[in-house]
Amino acid sequence: MTKPAADMVAQALNMIERGDLTLEKGPEVFGEAWDLVYPAVKIALKVNLASQPPVISSRPFQPLDLSSGWHSLQSQLETTPQLAASPQPARPAQPVFEWWAWLLRFFQSRPGQALGGSLVGLVLVFFLALGVAESQPGDPLYRARLGWEYLGEFVELNPDQKALVALRSADNRLAELENMAFAAKPDQLLEVQGQYLRALDASARYSANPLFHSYLALYEQLNVQRDRVTRLQLAEYSFGPGARLQYLAGRLDDAVYIIAPRVPGYSPPAPEVTPNPATPAPVPVR
């Protein structure tokens, strides 16, 4: 405790001893300093009261010297050695923090930086591939999607696989047309229809290769696409003036007509015989 505070405590005790001060009137005399000296004054009064209990005696009454008792208590407090704070036991290292610390040290090294750059590149490639796969006609990545599908035709060496990959690309274009009803723009329609015709022509070109054998699979897929285009024609009004579904249907009919004779077990349909109206029907004999 500093000297000015001790002096104020001694002054307060003297005033209490003379009857000039009470604990309730302390803030009026000492103002804001009373909050500082009040705990010490209260303790000193309790100590003096405990050490000097009132007794019945014939000796003349001598008031207790409160200031000297306070000074004695102050000197004892100042000379009493303070106990050193007991050290807190060290907390065991957390495994998670050690793992993260090891990762940070690793990624700060050259191998870690190289690996981190590779991981970032893989993540970017993944999101780029996802964006390409989900792109729609008119999107910036749509041409990349078309190029990726065409790459499947380019890397295949077997004409059967080339034709099937081309028809798969045509299926994707039909699916896009089916999703574009009431929402397609003319330039989007032109692009999707043009890409469909490209894939259809590619499948026909691959099927003309002498090494091609999958005529039945090609024939079945072409018929499935013809049914889908027929259903689209029923709602052609929903695509606007840019729709060329009648033309797509005609091209599909031509492709099916060309590939049908090559399908194993194919038999051409029998010609329809129309009766001659000039020839009278024979009369049954009864």
Side-chain angles (χ1 to χ4, degrees), residues 159-224:
D160 295 64
Q161 294 298 325
K162 284 180 175 291
L164 294 179
V165 171
L167 277 183
R168 192 179 305 120
S169 178
D171 284 338
N172 294 336
R173 305 291 82 78
L174 280 182
E176 291 170 356
L177 282 176
E178 291 168 348
N179 295 329
M180 290 167 63
F182 297 102
K185 297 179 180 179
D187 54 346
Q188 291 177 324
L189 283 174
L190 290 176
E191 183 175 19
V192 175
Q193 292 169 353
Q195 292 296 329
Y196 174 78
L197 291 174
R198 184 211 67 81
L200 183 64
D201 292 341
S203 64
R205 185 172 65 255
Y206 297 139
S207 64
N209 192 305
L211 299 178
F212 185 82
H213 301 92
S214 302
Y215 294 108
L216 180 59
L218 184 63
Y219 178 78
E220 291 177 347
Q221 293 198 31
L222 287 175
N223 277 286
V224 171

Side-chain angles (χ1 to χ4, degrees), residues 8-40:
M8 285 189 291
V9 171
Q11 180 184 357
L13 292 174
N14 289 331
M15 294 178 67
I16 291 174
E17 180 182 354
R18 294 194 304 269
D20 299 334
L21 179 67
T22 61
L23 296 179
E24 292 75 10
K25 295 183 179 181
E28 299 177 3
V29 178
F30 291 90
E32 296 180 356
W34 180 250
D35 294 335
L36 179 64
V37 301
Y38 173 75

Side-chain angles (χ1 to χ4, degrees), residues 92-104:
Q94 299 295 331
V96 177
F97 295 153
E98 290 184 354
W99 176 255
W100 279 108
W102 180 85
L103 281 180
L104 290 176

Side-chain angles (χ1 to χ4, degrees), residues 17-274:
E17 180 182 354
R18 294 194 304 269
D20 299 334
L21 179 67
T22 61
L23 296 179
E24 292 75 10
K25 295 183 179 181
E28 299 177 3
V29 178
F30 291 90
E32 296 180 356
W34 180 250
D35 294 335
L36 179 64
V37 301
Y38 173 75
V41 171
K42 189 174 181 180
I43 292 174
L45 291 175
K46 289 183 178 181
V47 170
N48 289 321
L49 180 61
S51 62
Q52 299 288 337
V55 296
I56 300 174
S57 175
S58 59
R59 293 176 296 174
F61 172 75
Q62 293 182 357
L64 180 64
D65 190 358
L66 298 179
S67 60
S68 62
W70 165 247
H71 288 300
S72 176
L73 177 62
Q74 179 187 0
S75 61
Q76 291 179 9
L77 292 175
E78 292 176 353
T79 57
T80 300
Q82 301 295 326
L83 296 177
S86 58
Q88 296 293 333
R91 294 184 179 179
Q94 299 295 331
V96 177
F97 295 153
E98 290 184 354
W99 176 255
W100 279 108
W102 180 85
L103 281 180
L104 290 176
R105 290 195 301 269
F106 173 73
F107 282 113
Q108 288 174 356
S109 61
R110 288 188 177 181
Q113 292 176 356
L115 179 61
S118 301
L119 291 177
V120 172
L122 288 176
V123 171
L124 292 178
V125 170
F126 171 76
F127 282 105
L128 180 61
L130 183 62
V132 170
E134 298 295 332
S135 60
Q136 297 297 325
D139 294 342
L141 295 178
Y142 181 69
R143 289 302 180 93
R145 178 183 178 184
L146 296 177
W148 182 260
E149 293 181 4
Y150 177 72
L151 183 62
E153 300 178 29
F154 181 76
V155 298
E156 292 289 348
L157 301 178
N158 189 343
D160 295 64
Q161 294 298 325
K162 284 180 175 291
L164 294 179
V165 171
L167 277 183
R168 192 179 305 120
S169 178
D171 284 338
N172 294 336
R173 305 291 82 78
L174 280 182
E176 291 170 356
L177 282 176
E178 291 168 348
N179 295 329
M180 290 167 63
F182 297 102
K185 297 179 180 179
D187 54 346
Q188 291 177 324
L189 283 174
L190 290 176
E191 183 175 19
V192 175
Q193 292 169 353
Q195 292 296 329
Y196 174 78
L197 291 174
R198 184 211 67 81
L200 183 64
D201 292 341
S203 64
R205 185 172 65 255
Y206 297 139
S207 64
N209 192 305
L211 299 178
F212 185 82
H213 301 92
S214 302
Y215 294 108
L216 180 59
L218 184 63
Y219 178 78
E220 291 177 347
Q221 293 198 31
L222 287 175
N223 277 286
V224 171
Q225 292 188 14
R226 185 166 62 172
D227 294 340
R228 293 171 65 182
V229 172
T230 301
R231 287 194 296 269
L232 289 176
Q233 284 183 282
L234 298 177
E236 187 171 7
Y237 69 92
S238 64
F239 292 93
R244 302 173 60 193
L245 299 178
Q246 184 65 35
Y247 180 72
L248 297 184
R251 293 288 297 272
L252 270 171
D253 290 339
D254 294 341
V256 172
Y257 177 78
I258 293 173
I259 201 69
R262 304 179 186 178
V263 177
Y266 171 79
S267 59
E272 296 181 358
V273 179
T274 56

